Amino acid sequence: MQESAEIVRRVWRAAQLRRLPLWIAGALPWLFIRSAPGLIAWIAWCSWDWAILRRQVGYAWTGWLDGAVPEMEDSSALLEYAATPVAQLQRRRLLDRLDASVSGPQLRRIVRTRVKAGWLWLLASVALAAAVWFSGAAPQAPVAAPGKAQAAIAAPVAGQLVVRTAPPSYTGVKAIESAPRDLHVPEQTVITWCLKDGATPQETIEVSNGQVLKPGKDCARWTATESVFWRWRGNRYTVKVTPDAPPEITITAPTQMVQELSETATSAAMGVKVYDDYLVRRATLHMTLARGSGENIRFTDREMPIPGSPDPKQRNWSKAWSLAELGMEPGDELYFFVRATDNAGRPHTVQSPTYTLRLPAPLAPAEEESAAMPMLVKPQSLRSQRQIIIDTEQLVADMRSTKMGKDAVLERSQQIAADQGALRRRYGQFLGEESSLFTDGDGDDDHGAEEGSTPDILHQYGHAHDEAENATLYDEDTKKVLRRALMAMWDAEKALRAITPKVALPPEHKALEAIKELQQAERIYLHKTAFVPPPIKEEKRMTGEMDGTASYRREQASAEKRVPDDVQLLVQALSGNGPLPALWSRAAHDWVRARLTDDDQRLSAQTAIQDVADGCVACRPVLRAWLRNAAGQGQVLLQARPTVETPFVRAWRDGARP
């Protein structure tokens, strides 16, 4: 194999030597005209040509040897692969012949007949280099002279005004000083316009929000709170303002809002990502551990700072807590959220949603229903759902193993059905249920009504203004679980009444599962909130002054005007070429600033206001469209003028004689 690899290297070396003069000669024209793009393009083409040549040699070198060396006996392919012993013997014979009959000059002659020199590519490279050379050397003096003259004239004009920006220190953005140009600055940046010596002090700077600034002897200042454009000497320049965004909080672990831990869990993972556009000043993890049930729930609060990272803009933190570190025991719940604050002048504080880690507790057989509904006092005679299942399974087993009489089966099945019905009514009261079809003979069922008690005429013939189910204090999800439990209990009770205890077992188990699910709705965690009164002004305290005191009388509601009167008059006036109302530009600026929140839309509308103020009649429809768009859905609701048209006026208008 080493001998065959050596043959391939010799053929490949000869092919490269054949192509090397072309690669070198083609780069000389680009080096001569000092064109870096052209040289890079030629190197890229040479790399492509080298790859094509290598593939050609790899596929065809055995055929080249077979066609040029008769001693190879058309068996050059055996040099590359010989599978059988006979083929390997022939391969050894060919290698001996090859060393004796193929020399270096002969191999180069073989490659010369197979690989072209490629001089056409060289001619193409020379032609392209010549074209680039002549196009760059074309005389441009007549064109360059006016451009230089214009630049020389415009430079003093633009150099008479200097624009300085001073971003807030917390952003870390450097202040700049430049000639008038478009700017992109953070919010609350102070922009200063200063005139140099030789400028006219009476010149003003018009801002698109309606302000007019006069640099004069002192510099004019403006604090960037919104994106605007400003005009000076007929030229417009845009100032794009980037508002300070509040921090972004992402909880990476757990992935669900409510995470159920397994009963054998020993750890719980938490992961947090906090990002701000400038700097995260503070990030804290707040945890609340809830322990107990019913009215004996105790909450323990804990706060932990989230450590910083090399990048001040973000904090990435994750930890696998052991349950001992969290202080969690079976039956506990841990609520946690993240609060972050940035370094803005007025800091933004953001709080993430509350996540829950729940560690289930082993359920005691006799306390499962009382834990699910802590508000209900459990009677001593009331049996649990688990006990009902045990009694039903025992009845089914006794029916199989022993010959029970029909009366005994009926009595035990009816007794279990009565227990199931009592338990169903117990949970049914949380959905407003007060009676059922089957009772235990307590005298509060439908049979008592049939025997002479007064019927419920109000529920039979009256109109209920509220549903009994809606009068409970449970949320909709808890009600759904209650309904599922009651339906399963009802199915089990019907099967037991029909003396088919085996059929009653599946719905009884469904009822037990629903009761277990109700236990998860036992504990509700809410953040503590309190009323924070406004601060007392000590300077006005005990003075008896009533100026500025707000009235406690509530104002009557009035019909909301969608479009102010001055904007309506302006929209009507923009429909024609007549004069516009007084102070129309102020009304238009206020309307656009209040209703258009997108920067690009607001800048376009302010541009239309300035164009109309400059006397552009063709720009009036554009401004009218922007004002209508600011009202919503591109329409302005205008109040029609009430007019009375009598038959006389109609006849006079139509030209008829009375």
Side-chain angles (χ1 to χ4, degrees):
M1 294 300 293
Q2 294 180 357
E3 294 83 354
S4 60
E6 180 63 27
I7 295 300
V8 175
R9 282 194 294 269
R10 290 174 59 189
V11 176
W12 170 236
R13 190 182 303 110
Q16 286 180 311
L17 292 175
R18 173 63 171 169
R19 208 70 166 177
L20 185 60
L22 171 65
W23 296 340
I24 297 176
L28 295 178
W30 302 106
L31 293 174
F32 177 76
I33 65 174
R34 298 181 180 180
S35 175
L39 182 61
I40 293 174
W42 177 255
I43 293 174
W45 181 88
C46 292
S47 301
W48 173 81
D49 186 56
W50 181 88
I52 296 298
L53 180 62
R54 186 173 182 84
R55 180 180 298 180
Q56 182 182 0
V57 171
Y59 281 121
W61 70 274
T62 56
W64 295 352
L65 294 180
D66 290 338
V69 182
E71 292 82 357
M72 300 302 297
E73 299 178 357
D74 294 334
S75 301
S76 298
L78 295 177
L79 297 176
E80 188 173 10
Y81 179 73
T84 62
V86 177
Q88 293 177 1
L89 180 61
Q90 179 66 12
R91 175 173 170 274
R92 174 55 58 185
R93 294 174 57 194
L94 292 177
L95 287 174
D96 296 339
R97 296 178 185 177
L98 188 64
D99 294 337
S101 59
V102 179
S103 60
Q106 185 180 2
L107 187 59
R108 286 193 291 272
R109 285 194 298 271
I110 296 174
V111 172
R112 190 179 302 114
T113 59
R114 301 292 181 174
V115 179
K116 297 181 180 179
W119 300 118
L120 292 178
W121 292 105
L122 178 60
L123 294 177
S125 177
V126 172
L128 287 176
V132 172
W133 168 261
F134 285 112
S135 62
Q140 297 180 356
V143 179
K148 292 181 179 179
Q150 290 180 0
I153 296 173
V157 176
Q160 294 179 0
L161 182 67
V162 178
V163 183
R164 300 186 180 95
T165 62
S169 58
Y170 73 87
T171 61
V173 180
K174 296 182 180 179
I176 61 173
E177 178 178 336
S178 65
R181 63 184 180 89
D182 294 339
L183 299 173
H184 202 114
V185 298
E187 190 178 12
Q188 298 298 324
T189 298
V190 178
I191 301 178
T192 307
W193 293 272
C194 299
L195 291 176
K196 288 186 176 181
D197 296 336
T200 306
Q202 291 77 17
E203 289 182 305
T204 60
I205 295 175
E206 301 176 4
V207 188
S208 61
N209 59 6
Q211 295 181 351
V212 178
L213 306 177
K214 296 181 179 180
K217 296 181 180 179
D218 299 329
C219 298
R221 290 176 175 83
W222 177 75
T223 302
T225 56
E226 60 178 351
S227 297
V228 297
F229 66 84
W230 56 280
R231 185 172 64 170
W232 184 67
R233 291 187 178 181
N235 297 322
R236 288 175 179 166
Y237 306 96
T238 303
V239 178
K240 283 281 189 177
V241 176
T242 303
D244 190 345
E248 299 178 1
I249 302 176
T250 304
I251 305 296
T252 58
T255 57
Q256 299 178 355
M257 296 287 292
V258 179
Q259 182 71 35
E260 290 281 352
L261 301 177
S262 62
E263 297 181 358
T264 59
T266 58
S267 62
M270 292 185 188
V272 178
K273 287 185 179 180
V274 183
Y275 174 80
D276 187 68
D277 46 2
Y278 296 114
L279 184 142
V280 180
R281 173 176 293 176
R282 178 178 172 83
T284 54
L285 175 67
H286 298 259
M287 295 180 288
T288 300
L289 181 64
R291 178 171 298 169
S293 61
E295 298 180 357
N296 297 323
I297 298 179
R298 300 185 305 275
F299 295 96
T300 304
D301 296 331
R302 180 181 175 186
E303 181 179 350
M304 186 197 75
I306 296 178
S309 62
D311 187 0
K313 295 184 178 181
Q314 61 182 358
R315 295 191 182 187
N316 297 332
W317 174 83
S318 61
K319 182 177 180 180
W321 295 87
S322 65
L323 298 185
E325 290 178 315
L326 297 175
M328 294 187 68
E329 297 178 358
D332 292 350
E333 290 182 354
L334 181 70
Y335 314 99
F336 73 93
F337 61 88
V338 177
R339 185 177 293 153
T341 306
D342 62 2
N343 66 331
R346 293 182 178 179
H348 300 93
T349 300
V350 180
Q351 181 173 309
S352 69
T354 301
Y355 283 70
T356 304
L357 294 176
R358 182 175 293 160
L359 183 62
L363 189 62
E367 297 180 356
E368 57 191 14
E369 291 86 5
S370 61
M373 295 296 172
M375 297 173 55
L376 182 65
V377 179
K378 178 181 177 182
Q380 295 296 331
S381 59
L382 191 63
R383 302 175 70 83
S384 66
Q385 183 66 30
R386 188 181 298 273
Q387 187 63 41
I388 292 174
I389 294 175
I390 294 174
D391 294 344
T392 306
E393 291 177 346
Q394 185 63 40
L395 176 58
V396 173
D398 293 343
M399 291 174 61
R400 291 178 179 176
S401 60
T402 61
K403 294 183 179 180
M404 296 182 61
K406 184 180 296 184
D407 296 338
V409 174
L410 175 61
E411 181 181 358
R412 289 180 60 178
S413 182
Q414 292 294 336
Q415 182 62 38
I416 300 174
D419 294 339
Q420 183 69 85
L423 188 61
R424 176 180 56 80
R425 287 190 296 274
R426 174 199 177 192
Y427 285 97
Q429 68 177 339
F430 294 99
L431 289 179
E433 296 183 2
E434 297 181 358
S435 63
S436 64
L437 180 61
F438 302 107
T439 63
D440 301 329
D442 296 333
D444 55 348
D445 54 353
D446 294 344
H447 296 284
E450 294 177 1
E451 293 176 0
S453 61
T454 304
D456 192 350
I457 301 177
L458 177 62
H459 288 79
Q460 185 175 1
Y461 299 103
H463 174 67
H465 293 275
D466 191 12
E467 295 182 4
E469 183 177 334
N470 294 335
T472 63
L473 298 178
Y474 295 100
D475 59 294
E476 188 60 32
D477 294 337
T478 306
K479 289 179 181 179
K480 290 180 180 179
V481 181
L482 276 170
R483 295 190 197 101
R484 189 166 73 248
L486 292 177
M487 291 179 62
M489 291 180 183
W490 178 250
D491 294 338
E493 185 180 355
K494 288 191 297 182
L496 291 169
R497 297 286 183 183
I499 320 177
T500 55
K502 187 176 181 180
V503 179
L505 282 174
E508 287 177 358
H509 285 284
K510 291 182 180 179
L512 180 61
E513 293 176 359
I515 291 174
K516 290 181 179 179
E517 189 173 349
L518 285 175
Q519 295 175 358
Q520 307 301 331
E522 168 192 4
R523 190 181 291 131
I524 299 175
Y525 174 77
L526 298 175
H527 295 294
K528 294 180 180 180
T529 58
F531 170 70
V532 180
I536 299 175
K537 296 182 180 179
E538 297 294 340
E539 63 272 10
K540 289 189 176 182
R541 188 177 183 184
M542 306 297 290
T543 60
E545 295 182 3
M546 302 297 293
D547 296 339
T549 303
S551 175
Y552 288 97
R553 181 176 299 176
R554 182 176 298 176
E555 296 182 358
Q556 297 293 330
S558 58
E560 180 184 359
K561 274 198 170 184
R562 190 172 181 180
V563 180
D565 295 336
D566 51 358
V567 178
Q568 294 183 16
L569 294 176
L570 177 58
V571 171
Q572 293 176 357
L574 290 173
S575 302
N577 299 332
L580 300 178
L583 302 178
W584 68 269
S585 59
R586 180 181 300 176
H589 278 299
D590 295 342
W591 177 252
V592 167
R593 189 183 301 110
R595 302 302 294 266
L596 294 180
T597 57
D598 184 72
D599 288 344
D600 295 334
Q601 293 184 358
R602 186 173 62 255
L603 291 177
S604 300
Q606 291 173 348
T607 303
I609 294 174
Q610 197 172 73
D611 292 339
V612 173
D614 293 341
C616 178
V617 179
C619 302
R620 290 191 173 192
V622 179
L623 176 57
R624 184 171 181 266
W626 279 117
L627 296 178
R628 291 166 61 89
N629 185 45
Q633 304 300 326
Q635 298 179 358
V636 176
L637 303 180
L638 301 179
Q639 181 66 33
R641 296 178 179 178
T643 56
V644 179
E645 186 174 346
T646 62
F648 176 79
V649 175
R650 190 183 304 110
W652 181 275
R653 185 192 60 200
D654 296 340
R657 295 180 179 273

